[in-house]
């Protein structure tokens, strides 16, 4: 069950393994060759994960200032300029989120406790039960939480944590403010409701819960709540931000490798890798190639999308581009 517990961290924040490149290449990569007349750049961002980034921190990343000065447009995962968003797309995203909220209020029979089943016997001790009882009644404010399965509450808490860690100043926020200041064009590689407009994707990675017994679900829920309440989650996120700001991909790789090994065969991990990374990277490829061919472009996407066999670095190299880390600040 420890493996399942550690999966929580990676499911909540979509943290997946990085391929290790030599000599700490950092988060800024130059893309050239394959017919490009000017160099474009990949920049691995960080969505926040609970940390409020500052401009000084972000532009302290090796090579970023020079790279930004050498482009004319910046592509984010989604369009950051609210004036460029399609009203119909925004409406679809709201409807998707409304659907999720309705599910939370009325999840359906699959997530309801079987008749005659109760929470207290599911836990290894009365103390564990009391901790869960206290959290669900006081923090989740549901006096009848026991009507729904522990697996349901694990998913709901995951969503709450996911949303709360995004209520910070992200690297993307800093980058967008910089593009506005410099008068650059911005763009998005996907629509608002493709991924982040709906948290439904997060639930798809939780399908492993359906294979667990109620007792196993209860143990997973207890461990997740314990991580939140004792500050382990906050400490983890703090260390994650430090690893990112160290501009050291190898350190980041080593930081998560031990936890990754604990759940390397996890269905949740495989689905996260496929849904949130592989499919999106391939879907982005045509727009990335088109923009780089027309003008020097910075592709600013989550650092998790850059590295690994399914990352943008590997994908672009297979397409014939030269993709090399920017080791020094550009002039």
């Amino acid at each position: 069950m420890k493996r399942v517990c550690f999966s929580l961290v990676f499911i909540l924040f979509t943290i997946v393994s990085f391929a290790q490149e030599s000599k700490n290449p950092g988060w800024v990569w130059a893309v050239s060759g394959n017919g490009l007349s000017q160099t474009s750049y990949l920049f691995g961002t960080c969505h926040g994960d609970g940390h409020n980034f500052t401009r000084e921190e972000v532009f302290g990343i090796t090579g970023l200032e020079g790279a930004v000065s050498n482009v004319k447009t910046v592509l984010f995962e989604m369009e950051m300029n609210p004036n460029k968003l399609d009203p119909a797309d925004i409406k679809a995203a709201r409807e998707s989120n409304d659907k999720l909220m309705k599910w939370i209020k009325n999840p359906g029979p699959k997530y309801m406790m079987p008749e005659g089943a109760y929470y207290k016997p599911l836990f290894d001790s009365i103390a564990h039960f009391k901790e869960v009882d206290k959290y669900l009644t006081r923090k989740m404010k549901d006096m009848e939480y026991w009507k729904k399965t522990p697996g349901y509450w694990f998913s709901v808490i995951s969503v709450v944590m996911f949303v709360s860690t995004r209520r910070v100043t992200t690297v993307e926020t800093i980058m967008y403010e910089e593009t506005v200041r410099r008068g650059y064009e911005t763009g998005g590689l996907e629509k608002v409701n493709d991924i982040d407009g709906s948290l439904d994707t997060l639930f798809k990675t939780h399908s492993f819960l359906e294979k667990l017994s109620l007792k196993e679900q209860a143990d997973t829920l207890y461990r997740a709540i314990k991580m939140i309440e004792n500050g382990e989650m906050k400490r983890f996120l703090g260390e994650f931000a430090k690893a990112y700001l160290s501009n050291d991909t190898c350190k980041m790789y080593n930081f998560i490798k031990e936890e990754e090994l604990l759940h390397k065969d996890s269905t949740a991990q495989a689905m996260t890798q496929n849904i949130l990374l592989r499919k999106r990277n391939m879907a982005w490829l045509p727009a990335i190639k088109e923009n780089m061919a027309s003008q020097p472009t910075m592709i600013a996407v989550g650092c998790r999308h850059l590295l690994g066999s399914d990352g943008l670095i590997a994908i672009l190299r297979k397409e014939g581009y030269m993709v090399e880390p920017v080791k020094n600040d550009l002039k």
Side-chain angles (χ1 to χ4, degrees):
M1 291 310 299
K2 184 178 181 182
R3 182 179 67 193
V4 175
C5 180
F6 271 105
S7 293
L8 168 70
V9 178
F10 293 88
I11 295 168
L12 289 179
F13 310 105
T14 64
I15 300 172
V16 298
S17 63
F18 293 88
Q20 192 169 17
E21 296 266 348
S22 63
K23 298 183 180 179
N24 306 329
W27 303 120
V28 182
W29 297 70
V31 184
S32 59
N34 200 24
L36 295 183
S37 58
Q38 299 182 73
T39 300
S40 286
Y41 299 91
L42 294 175
F43 172 42
T45 67
C46 186
H47 300 325
D49 293 342
H51 180 77
N52 276 296
F53 288 94
T54 66
R55 188 186 187 285
E56 290 71 23
E57 287 176 329
V58 174
F59 279 85
I61 293 175
T62 301
L64 181 59
E65 176 63 49
V68 172
S69 299
N70 289 336
V71 301
K72 295 182 178 180
T73 187
V74 179
L75 294 182
F76 297 96
E77 293 184 22
M78 292 170 289
E79 176 62 69
M80 299 287 287
N81 187 340
N83 296 324
K84 290 186 177 182
L85 296 177
D86 185 345
D89 192 36
I90 296 175
K91 180 182 178 181
R94 288 173 178 170
E95 290 175 348
S96 183
N97 279 332
D98 288 344
K99 182 179 179 181
L100 177 60
M101 293 303 105
K102 289 180 180 178
W103 179 89
I104 290 176
K105 292 180 179 179
N106 185 21
K110 185 168 63 172
Y111 294 93
M112 305 303 290
M113 286 286 282
E115 185 176 354
Y118 301 96
Y119 263 59
K120 189 178 294 186
L122 298 177
F123 294 90
D124 293 335
S125 69
I126 294 297
H128 287 188
F129 165 71
K130 287 183 176 180
E131 286 189 57
V132 172
D133 176 77
K134 179 180 178 180
Y135 189 90
L136 295 181
T137 54
R138 297 187 181 183
K139 295 292 181 65
M140 303 308 294
K141 302 184 186 304
D142 192 331
M143 301 302 293
E144 296 185 327
Y145 68 83
W146 44 268
K147 291 184 177 181
K148 304 179 184 72
T149 64
Y152 162 85
W153 284 112
F154 177 92
S155 291
V156 170
I157 291 171
S158 296
V159 169
V160 172
M161 291 294 296
F162 184 91
V163 172
S164 66
T165 57
R166 266 45 182 183
R167 292 172 179 165
V168 294
T169 302
T170 66
V171 174
E172 287 86 356
T173 304
I174 300 295
M175 281 299 299
Y176 175 66
E177 291 173 350
E178 188 66 17
T179 61
V180 171
R181 188 178 71 83
R182 300 190 186 205
Y184 289 177
E185 287 294 318
T186 64
L189 293 168
E190 61 191 4
K191 294 182 178 181
V192 175
N193 66 321
D194 283 343
I195 295 293
D196 290 330
S198 171
L199 296 177
D200 181 63
T201 302
L202 189 62
F203 282 88
K204 292 179 181 178
T205 67
H206 289 181
S207 61
F208 75 93
L209 289 167
E210 299 175 9
K211 301 178 182 180
L212 302 180
S213 67
L214 287 176
K215 184 172 179 55
E216 289 173 323
Q217 290 182 32
D219 184 62
T220 302
L221 177 61
Y222 165 74
R223 291 175 182 272
I225 290 174
K226 190 71 174 179
M227 288 176 68
I228 295 170
E229 291 290 87
N230 67 11
E232 184 178 347
M233 183 69 72
K234 185 176 181 179
R235 287 191 296 273
F236 177 90
L237 294 176
E239 290 301 314
F240 183 76
K242 287 180 182 178
Y244 174 80
L245 288 172
S246 70
N247 198 46
D248 187 339
T249 52
C250 292
K251 182 176 181 180
M252 179 75 82
Y253 175 87
N254 292 330
F255 176 67
I256 68 172
K257 189 63 179 176
E258 182 178 350
E259 285 87 350
E260 181 206 20
L261 290 174
L262 290 172
H263 68 288
K264 62 183 179 180
D265 59 344
S266 166
T267 300
Q269 170 67 8
M271 291 185 70
T272 300
Q273 176 77 15
N274 186 51
I275 296 172
L276 296 180
L277 294 174
R278 184 182 300 113
K279 286 186 176 180
R280 293 173 73 195
N281 286 350
M282 294 307 300
W284 295 345
L285 186 59
I288 290 174
K289 292 170 65 176
E290 180 181 351
N291 276 270
M292 292 195 305
S294 62
Q295 60 188 339
T297 302
M298 171 169 283
I299 297 94
V301 297
C303 57
R304 305 163 181 84
H305 289 280
L306 263 59
L307 305 179
S309 59
D310 298 311
L312 289 175
I313 292 171
I315 291 172
L316 288 173
R317 284 173 174 170
K318 289 178 183 177
E319 291 287 315
Y321 297 95
M322 181 179 293
V323 187
E324 299 295 332
V326 177
K327 299 293 184 64
N328 301 300
D329 290 321
L330 302 171
K331 303 298 183 182

